[in-house]
Amino acid sequence: MRPDDSELIDRWRAVPAPLLGLLHAFHDRDGFLSDEALRAVSEGLGVPLADLYGTVSFYHHFARASGGRDAPRVCDGPVCKARGSDALLAELEGATPMPCAGRCDEPIPVLRGGECLVGTPGEGLRAAPTPLPPPNPGGLEECCFAHVREEGRASLAGYGAGDGYRALARAREMSAEALLDELDASGLTGRGGAGFPTARKWRAVREAAGGPKTIVCNADEGEPGCFKDRVLMDHDPHAVLEGMAIAGRATGAMRGFVYLRYEYPHTQAILEDAIEQARAELGEFEIWVRRGAGAYICGEETSLLNSLEGAHPFPRNRPPYPVTHGFEQTPTAVNNVETLASVPPIVERGADWYAGLGLGDQRGTKIISLSGDIRRPGNYEVPLGFSLRTLLFDWAGGGEDGRELQAVTMAGLSGGFLGADAWDATLDEPCLRAHGSFLGAGGVMVFDERRDMVDIARQAMSFFADESCGKCFPCRIGTERLTERLSGAAGPTRPELWKEQVHAIGHTMAQVSACGLGIAAPLITESLLRHFPEQVDETLSRR
Ligand SMILES: Cc1cc2nc3c(=O)[nH]c(=O)nc-3n(C[C@H](O)[C@H](O)[C@H](O)COP(=O)(O)O)c2cc1C
Ligand code: SF4
């Protein structure tokens, strides 16, 4: 052990959820995780070395070779691929590809050391901005984005100028019961993908026996095509922190963690700064930021909890659910960034106001991250029940250079594709489910007439295959078999047999996979076959 090893270990041993933080401390100090560093961590935290090797190697971004942390990693998500990520990869010495890094409305993101940059082939790299959401073109009332464009909003003074932390003060004056009733009446449901009613989750944590109770803000945002949570954290971090503290008030939790994806390095500094500034407002509610290390599955809430605890980040079997057996087996509310940022305005302005923002039977709003072949990409906060056609063509300007749009994805990649016959769909779960898809976290990637949809489907399935944690075989093997069939590397070429096998594999995965990754992945192939059968037949005829 080096003398400063024990300093690092002592510093991290003194705080909750130390393993990831300690590994990052060594990784940042040395530029990689050496065998000596792993031995020091294993001894220091009492984690068996074999377990530690397994866990460290699970993540994309922990480099095990000297200098690895500083080698460039280039996003090769579907939108960046279409923008030339292969050419950028070839230009940058020692660069390797990485899955979608959550900046689909910017040039291609490149992680290098502790920074995130963006670049375009032939033009080099520059600092990565976080563009503000485009002005709301419809003039419709917003919830999460209502103040986000104000100058200085990320500072406590800027936040206070917009009545910051008044909602928390109000929540403290209310009984927990009244607070939960208010949220219940607002109709707020989870914005991270699963859409579970927020008040019901919080009530379950409040009523659960045991403690200490914990609030976890899920800022993993690993779904390709989603980049809304970063915008909220970068431009309105206090709204997220205030939402967490109100969740604490409602549930009886006195501590919280933000689990932040590795690919957002500067967001960590923004959050830590905001926590420091807001100490007096947060009072006894304590918040720590913990940085992930690159693994899509860590967005799944039970996998996230394992990761936070320093365990191997497999999803857990459920029940029991996190509301009773979450972080360190204590009652825990895991909530998405957007869900939490919606809470202060609801407490301030009331359930009826929030519910009334939705259209028809729908209550509230949803942020849509729009990217790909579209004139004005970006994050748009729309009323739930809003027309997809109006968003694509009126707000975002339709295809670039007058090109026809042929497909969009839903829920990032997890909701599969919709074709032009669905432009009249509305952005809400009942309508999208009737189209065989779902809204989920609200990532919408657009593909115009130039794109080969079979190849886009292959990229999507290959992402799921790479990110499958491998815990259950229908997903581990099914995502591989589907990728092979989409690429033509294996499987039949006779169209009827090809389709029969693709349906059968997808059906098995959807029925028996243990978590949402394996259940949702076949929506890619099913929607490809439903909306683009001619492209499938044409591809198969060439094999
Ligand atoms: C494979 C997979 C990845 C997920 N990734 C995320 C994520 O990055 N962020 C998120 O908030 N929820 C993600 N979720 C959903 C979480 O499991 C969980 O439902 C959510 O964090 C709960 O918060 P909410 O109720 O506020 O939406 C993911 C789920 C699955 C199955
Ligand atoms: S469905 Fe896939 S990602 Fe989920 S537990 Fe099974 S193998 Fe892991």
Side-chain angles (χ1 to χ4, degrees), residues 78-79 82-83 371-375 392-393 397-409 417-420 423 444-454 456 532 535:
V79 168
R83 280 210 213 106
S371 66
D373 300 327
I374 187 93
R375 212 173 295 168
L392 291 176
F393 297 97
E400 295 160 299
D401 303 322
R403 290 196 190 92
E404 291 276 316
L405 306 188
Q406 63 166 332
V408 295
T409 65
F417 306 112
L418 293 180
W423 290 169
V444 174
M445 290 186 260
V446 182
F447 298 100
D448 70 24
E449 56 193 334
R450 291 169 297 174
R451 308 297 173 202
D452 171 351
M453 292 312 297
V454 179
I456 303 284
F532 304 101
Q535 292 194 36

Side-chain angles (χ1 to χ4, degrees), residues 383-449:
L384 277 173
F386 195 63
S387 151
L388 175 60
R389 182 187 292 281
T390 307
L391 175 66
L392 291 176
F393 297 97
D394 297 345
W395 286 26
E400 295 160 299
D401 303 322
R403 290 196 190 92
E404 291 276 316
L405 306 188
Q406 63 166 332
V408 295
T409 65
M410 280 288 148
L413 283 178
S414 294
F417 306 112
L418 293 180
D421 60 343
W423 290 169
D424 286 319
T426 52
L427 293 160
D428 55 76
E429 294 299 2
C431 179
L432 293 170
R433 283 185 194 268
H435 279 84
S437 182
F438 66 105
L439 184 59
V444 174
M445 290 186 260
V446 182
F447 298 100
D448 70 24
E449 56 193 334

Side-chain angles (χ1 to χ4, degrees), residues 195-211:
F196 191 82
T198 306
R200 211 187 313 159
K201 184 181 290 186
W202 291 5
R203 202 180 291 278
V205 174
R206 176 155 202 92
E207 289 169 0

